[in-house]
Amino acid sequence: MKIYFKPFTYITIFACIILSCSNDDTSNTTSNNNNDDVAVTELHAAFTEFNPDAVTVILSDDGTEYYIETTGFPDHTSIYWEPSHALYIDEPGVTKTTQNTYIGGGQGEAASFTVDATPNLTGATVATQLNTIGIAVSGASIFNDQEGMGDLDQAAQSLDWAGAHKGPGVYHYHLEPTPISSDDDSLVGILLDGVFIYGRQCSSTGTHPTDLDASGGHTTTTQFTNGVEEYHYHIINDVYPAGNYAYAPAYVLFAGPFQGY
Ligand SMILES: [Zn+2]
Ligand SMILES: [Zn+2]
């Protein structure tokens, strides 16, 4: 398996100088066709953590990209399932966004994305969008710390015990998704820049990392890299002031910016 390791940074920078590639693209594309994309020969070991009932991942474009397809249906309970569904639970502290919304309703949850198999970690950053920014291991979408055009705290009362909700669009997480990771080092998902995101703790030290960049990222081994150091994100261990969240304390899942585009 060929995965990101530190010396590769310099190769990528060289390639960018030669090819004059641009990393300041802020458009909402989910694929990146720079000529310096690096091929891998098999799926990253972290994909074994993804819910196989929801998520399908295949290598595409000669191994330079992962094509990820998801039903978008999480494998855990929520008030956002239809009351007749086996995974429906009542959550008395949660006020749904609208009473008529439920997982699988409206526009449905299914989606597909193409992400770089090897993130472009050149130091350039890209802001996240008000849309899906990643796929969690459950199969559901990851969003950032904004709701509509405002701060998330206004909408926090509608977030379920997984830190997620659904309006007319897809069911999506904004906060630490406690069915997946609750103050531990579990894999949470992959973001659309190709970088994996983990819980608040890091397996390399067994505790909360103290060397994170502004995106919650750093380069260490993880439980899926077989001793190789690899850039990855963490949920940042700072309490988010969402006073009306039913399951406080809240931790923002990922506020950006992307480091891997
Ligand atoms: Zn939302
Ligand atoms: Zn880490």
Side-chain angles (χ1 to χ4, degrees):
M1 182 189 320
K2 187 167 184 181
I3 50 182
Y4 175 77
F5 60 101
K6 211 160 190 180
F8 184 72
T9 307
Y10 308 111
I11 299 170
T12 306
I13 291 168
F14 267 127
C16 280
I17 293 168
I18 293 163
L19 301 168
S20 302
C21 64
S22 168
N23 283 291
D24 58 3
D25 178 17
T26 53
S27 66
N28 196 18
T29 55
T30 55
S31 69
N32 187 329
N33 293 313
N34 286 352
N35 292 330
D36 58 340
D37 283 353
V38 174
V40 297
T41 55
E42 58 184 270
L43 295 183
H44 195 291
F47 284 116
T48 58
E49 289 295 295
F50 283 69
N51 170 14
D53 293 331
V55 181
T56 305
V57 185
I58 57 171
L59 278 174
S60 65
D61 200 12
D62 295 327
T64 60
E65 293 178 338
Y66 293 127
Y67 174 74
I68 303 173
E69 215 171 68
T70 181
T71 65
F73 293 164
D75 52 0
H76 57 73
T77 58
S78 170
I79 192 174
Y80 283 95
W81 287 104
E82 272 191 285
S84 59
H85 194 282
L87 291 174
Y88 171 83
I89 53 167
D90 189 21
E91 298 187 75
V94 176
T95 305
K96 285 175 69 175
T97 45
T98 70
Q99 284 307 309
N100 295 330
T101 189
Y102 58 88
I103 296 167
Q107 304 162 18
E109 327 295 319
S112 62
F113 303 91
T114 305
V115 307
D116 276 2
T118 307
N120 291 326
L121 298 165
T122 56
T125 62
V126 174
T128 56
Q129 307 287 324
L130 295 172
N131 205 332
T132 295
I133 62 165
I135 303 297
V137 295
S138 69
S141 276
I142 295 171
F143 273 41
N144 65 12
D145 64 337
Q146 302 287 301
E147 181 69 19
M149 292 307 286
D151 287 339
L152 182 59
D153 56 341
Q154 301 300 318
Q157 197 161 16
S158 68
L159 296 171
D160 66 9
W161 75 289
H165 63 180
K166 177 183 168 78
V170 299
Y171 176 80
H172 58 271
Y173 306 102
H174 286 284
L175 303 177
E176 176 180 66
T178 53
I180 298 171
S181 178
S182 181
D183 195 17
D184 58 32
D185 64 6
S186 297
L187 181 72
V188 172
I190 185 169
L191 299 191
L192 297 187
D193 62 351
V195 178
F196 291 98
I197 183 167
Y198 294 78
R200 282 187 274 145
Q201 299 193 33
C202 188
S203 66
S204 68
T205 57
T207 185
H208 304 124
T210 55
D211 59 344
L212 300 178
D213 62 23
S215 303
H218 70 166
T219 303
T220 70
T221 62
T222 79
Q223 61 269 48
F224 300 105
T225 62
N226 201 18
V228 177
E229 294 198 331
E230 175 181 272
Y231 184 80
H232 57 277
Y233 301 123
H234 285 278
I235 296 171
I236 296 176
N237 190 40
D238 287 338
V239 173
Y240 178 77
N244 53 2
Y245 180 48
Y247 301 95
Y251 298 86
V252 167
L253 210 177
F254 185 78
F258 291 118
Q259 300 283 342
Y261 273 123

